[in-house]
Amino acid sequence: MKTLNDFNFDNKKALIRVDFNVPLNENFEVTDATRIEAAKPTIIKVLEDGGSCILMSHLGRPKNREEEFSLKHIVNKASEVLGVNLKFVADSIGPLVEEAVANLQSGEILLLENLRYYPEEKAGDNAFAASLSKLGDIYINDAFGTAHRAHASTAVIAEYFPENKCFGTLLVSEIENLNKVLTQSEKPVTAIIGGAKVSSKITIIENILDKIDHLIIGGGMAFTFIKAQGGKIGNSLVEDDKQELALSILEKAKQKNVQVHLPVDALIADQFSNDANTEVCSISEIPDGWMGLDTGSETNTNFAQVILNSKTILWNGPVGVFEMESFAAGTISLGNAIAKATKEGAFSLVGGGDSVAAVKKFNLTDKVSYVSTGGGAMLETLEGKTLPGILAMEN
Ligand code: AMP
């Protein structure tokens, strides 16, 4: 696996796939620049070597060339974050781009227009990848967030750089940190899997059972397990057709000596609303008309105890509807326990859209060891898949 250190970028044009798919508000201002910040070390290394950067990214899911998805909206913020005024070209391939690239000087950064304005990007089109490849001397993939896609700029393009391609700093650190959980973990290892649905997390759970000692299951998905075990869950979220699967996971965990920790109590509500009436009750005695929207305090204590005894912690998915203040306490308690365990020497990795949002919302980003930037890419890695964007670089 080649990295930036294998190259000197002096006088070279680095063609970098970054993930600048950042959220924008209604005025098209960047509301969270984390992904831009994450790409900074790679970009700075190229510039400090004496090279120039051509940045390729997608933004959102345009159907045509809707202006709301133009990467021009992020130029100011990216310039501020990177400390260099970005040049922008309103296309991704073609004469306009080739001219801008020809004029690019060492120390400069050129941002191309949204790659997904071309359907060829997502289709993994060879001709589109070939046109992009002509723009740079060295291809760098630093877009972990899209590494699970076999798109033109994330995978196909790599074959046009048989020698001159490498991973960027972010991608290397994502791989290294995931390996700290998956292959080089210090025991006891605890995985916390929460969120809405069993169906979206099932492959992850099955793949990590061999690697963990404790499995904490929380959030909406816990109710399918509770119901499968004969509990009364009222109107809580459930996937009835996944009950068998839930029981088989519990059985597999037992065979592999993994201790499963399910909630024992729940904060229940009479409607899915922040202003609902609430009560705490046993997880398996939820009355009809009520739904469990957060873990109860006994559960929070149990989960914290497991976490504080762990040396490696993986967290994906909230244990309650943390977006509503009334149902955030369980997720906050869990996050605080992970922060405390981390302070005491554990390695903790948080990943997957909603848990990252929770970590940010509750100011825990600096208190965990690593926050993955790649939602789907991280989940697929946890599922045991080799990501196309990573595979393409190794061939
Ligand atoms: P996921 O994307 O599968 O990780 O699911 C995250 C979502 O699960 C968040 O938006 C939470 O609000 C939601 N969630 C967590 N706990 C519950 C629950 N008990 N009932 C319904 N939704 C929940």
Side-chain angles (χ1 to χ4, degrees):
M1 171 167 111
K2 281 190 188 164
T3 68
L4 295 180
N5 294 332
D6 294 308
F7 294 91
N8 185 328
F9 292 91
D10 189 22
N11 261 318
K12 300 279 188 231
K13 292 190 163 97
L15 182 61
I16 314 179
R17 179 50 159 105
V18 289
D19 180 7
F20 282 180
N21 183 27
V22 290
L24 303 177
N25 64 16
E26 61 281 7
N27 299 321
F28 302 108
E29 291 156 347
V30 177
T31 54
D32 183 349
T34 307
R35 286 179 161 165
I36 301 174
E37 278 153 16
K40 188 171 175 177
T42 295
I43 294 166
I44 297 301
K45 150 80 179 157
V46 172
L47 299 184
E48 281 183 354
D49 269 7
S52 56
C53 297
I54 300 148
L55 306 182
M56 312 181 277
S57 180
H58 74 285
L59 178 66
R61 296 179 173 178
K63 290 197 176 64
N64 298 302
R65 288 186 163 242
E66 301 100 316
E67 211 180 284
E68 62 188 282
F69 296 112
S70 172
L71 276 166
K72 71 179 181 191
H73 301 305
I74 74 150
V75 169
N76 288 346
K77 189 67 186 181
S79 299
E80 182 191 316
V81 170
L82 299 172
V84 177
N85 282 334
L86 260 66
K87 296 186 160 185
F88 176 73
V89 56
D91 208 342
S92 322
I93 54 168
L96 204 62
V97 179
E98 283 157 25
E99 193 191 326
V101 167
N103 291 331
L104 196 66
Q105 304 296 313
S106 293
E108 291 184 334
I109 305 174
L110 175 70
L111 175 66
L112 307 185
E113 182 55 286
N114 192 343
L115 293 166
R116 290 196 189 165
Y117 278 176
Y118 286 86
E120 290 91 336
E121 161 65 358
K122 281 176 82 174
D125 182 78
N126 259 310
F128 183 62
S131 302
L132 287 171
S133 74
K134 290 194 195 115
L135 304 175
D137 304 309
I138 300 166
Y139 169 67
I140 302 174
N141 188 350
D142 208 19
F144 185 68
T146 46
H148 59 313
R149 308 284 187 211
H151 294 171
S153 71
T154 60
V156 182
I157 192 171
E159 69 194 58
Y160 295 94
F161 295 88
E163 297 300 326
N164 291 336
K165 62 184 168 203
C166 68
F167 289 121
T169 309
L170 171 67
L171 222 136
V172 170
S173 87
E174 291 279 357
I175 296 170
E176 282 177 357
N177 281 291
L178 274 159
N179 280 342
K180 278 190 201 162
V181 171
L182 293 173
T183 56
Q184 306 146 2
S185 50
E186 197 183 333
K187 282 174 164 294
V189 184
T190 297
I192 305 144
I193 308 289
K197 289 183 171 176
V198 183
S199 48
S200 61
K201 305 285 165 84
I202 203 74
T203 329
I204 297 176
I205 297 181
E206 285 178 335
N207 185 50
I208 59 175
L209 276 183
D210 282 326
K211 304 169 173 68
I212 61 176
D213 306 292
H214 296 271
L215 174 63
I216 291 177
I217 298 176
M221 62 183 278
F223 295 105
T224 301
F225 287 82
I226 301 297
K227 187 171 179 187
Q229 290 178 312
K232 278 183 60 199
I233 59 159
N235 291 31
S236 304
L237 201 65
V238 69
E239 287 169 281
D240 278 324
D241 59 336
K242 296 290 179 292
Q243 289 188 57
E244 288 279 310
L245 197 60
L247 291 177
S248 82
I249 286 179
L250 296 177
E251 186 51 40
K252 272 187 204 156
K254 205 167 159 189
Q255 284 165 12
K256 292 176 191 284
N257 272 329
V258 176
Q259 281 188 49
V260 179
H261 307 271
L262 282 159
V264 291
D265 57 353
L267 181 63
I268 59 172
D270 59 356
Q271 52 175 313
F272 192 81
S273 154
N274 197 37
D275 305 322
N277 294 308
T278 59
E279 277 179 34
V280 177
C281 81
S282 155
I283 194 81
S284 51
E285 286 163 28
I286 302 177
D288 287 341
W290 291 72
M291 61 193 99
L293 295 184
D294 197 9
T295 42
S297 55
E298 204 181 323
T299 302
N300 295 340
T301 307
N302 293 350
F303 286 181
Q305 213 160 26
V306 178
I307 289 165
L308 290 172
N309 285 324
S310 303
K311 284 275 172 271
T312 304
I313 301 156
L314 166 72
W315 181 21
N316 171 260
V319 294
V321 185
F322 75 98
E323 297 92 335
M324 296 187 214
E325 206 184 332
S326 306
F327 309 107
T331 302
I332 294 175
S333 157
L334 189 92
N336 285 338
I338 297 172
K340 189 158 181 230
T342 310
K343 200 170 176 193
E344 290 170 7
F347 174 80
S348 56
L349 187 145
V350 183
D354 280 311
S355 14
V356 174
V359 160
K360 281 187 190 155
K361 184 166 180 183
F362 305 128
N363 295 321
L364 294 167
T365 309
D366 297 333
K367 296 180 180 163
V368 297
S369 310
Y370 193 74
V371 180
S372 174
T373 58
M378 178 201 151
L379 299 184
E380 290 196 17
T381 308
L382 295 178
E383 287 174 358
K385 294 181 186 155
T386 307
L387 311 181
I390 291 178
L391 199 64
M393 298 297 273
E394 286 165 356
N395 291 332

